[in-house]
Each structure stands twice: as C-alpha cells, then as structure tokens.
Amino acid sequence: MSHYAGMYYKDDILHIKVIVNQQNIIEAIKDICYFTSTESIAFRKQFEKNIVIEYDGIYEIKYLKKAMNHFPEEQLFALSIYGIGIKPSINGFSVSSDVWTESKKQQTAELLEIDINHIDFEISSGTCIDN
C-alpha cells in the first residue's frame, strides 16, 4: 500500500491518513478495509458512517516504521530517550524523555529523518509501574 499514512480512533471515529498526493483513494481504502467474510462486511457497513479520511499525510506508515526501527540504539542512551512510537494522528512519532531542549529535539528529528513538526515530544521519567 503506497499512500497509506496510518490510522487511529478518536471519539469512536476511525481516522485514516493518506498521503496528500493520493491519486486513487478508493484503492487505498480497499487495501485497508479488505474483508472477505459475511460478518466482516456487516461489521464494516455498521461503522461506515464513522470513518474520516484525512488527506494531510506526508509520511507513509512503512517509512515511519523503518525510521523508528533504524534509530541508532546508542543515541537512545546518549539522548536519554525512553521510548519512540508511531503516532498516526500527527503522521509522525511520540518520543519520550525526561527533558527536552531545542537542540535535543532537532537532533532527534534528524535521526528520525522527519520534520520536527511531526514529533510529539513527551516528558517522562522512564519509570514503568507494574500494577
């Protein structure tokens, strides 16, 4: 799927992001929503009214996955980054650390090879609590 940029739920509505220059939106949606069984088709019809197509995608989901998986491990420690995850709602990443400076943000964006505006820089202690 070449123009798919991710999907997420917000307020029980499925948001599907596609690349801005998407020429064949129907094919992209078919790729995402391909169902073969009768139950799946009924399920899809039940929720068709709750799907929003967002045409503001810049990065394909496969590009985001590759960028995240190729982030240099030694830089995670050097920059005190506790986690990186894909955040489809911004067509980018959520990156957590205990402190963010403008220099650290820029360096992180360069390592991810993504525009800084597509990164949600979160503050975290890096501590996991097991309940």
Side-chain angles (χ1 to χ4, degrees):
M1 185 176 329
S2 61
H3 297 287
Y4 171 60
M7 71 174 112
Y8 65 98
Y9 277 95
K10 181 179 179 184
D11 300 325
D12 293 328
I13 297 174
L14 174 63
H15 294 253
I16 301 170
K17 287 206 174 266
V18 294
I19 303 298
V20 175
N21 63 358
Q22 172 68 29
Q23 303 226 348
N24 195 344
I25 188 68
I26 300 302
E27 289 305 312
I29 299 305
K30 283 181 183 176
D31 286 345
I32 295 165
C33 299
Y34 182 73
F35 295 111
T36 55
S37 71
T38 307
E39 297 100 18
S40 297
I41 292 170
F43 177 80
R44 184 182 68 200
K45 286 183 179 182
Q46 178 184 355
F47 291 101
E48 277 180 342
K49 295 176 185 172
N50 294 331
I51 296 176
V52 174
I53 308 297
E54 298 178 0
Y55 298 93
D56 60 347
I58 303 294
Y59 303 102
E60 294 178 12
I61 195 74
K62 64 184 175 185
Y63 178 86
L64 296 174
K65 288 178 182 179
K66 183 177 179 184
M68 184 176 70
N69 291 331
H70 287 95
F71 195 93
E73 189 172 335
E74 65 276 1
Q75 290 298 328
L76 288 173
F77 297 109
L79 294 170
S80 298
I81 292 176
Y82 303 129
I84 300 174
I86 294 173
K87 189 168 184 177
S89 61
I90 62 169
N91 189 221
F93 297 101
S94 175
V95 184
S96 61
S97 182
D98 57 347
V99 66
W100 288 106
T101 63
E102 289 308 311
S103 172
K104 185 173 171 179
K105 288 178 181 181
Q106 187 61 43
Q107 194 173 2
T108 301
E110 289 171 7
L111 288 166
L112 286 169
E113 298 180 6
I114 188 170
D115 184 284
I116 199 165
N117 295 315
H118 288 266
I119 303 175
D120 185 6
F121 297 99
E122 297 187 4
I123 301 293
S124 172
S125 67
T127 304
C128 294
I129 300 172
D130 188 19
N131 290 330

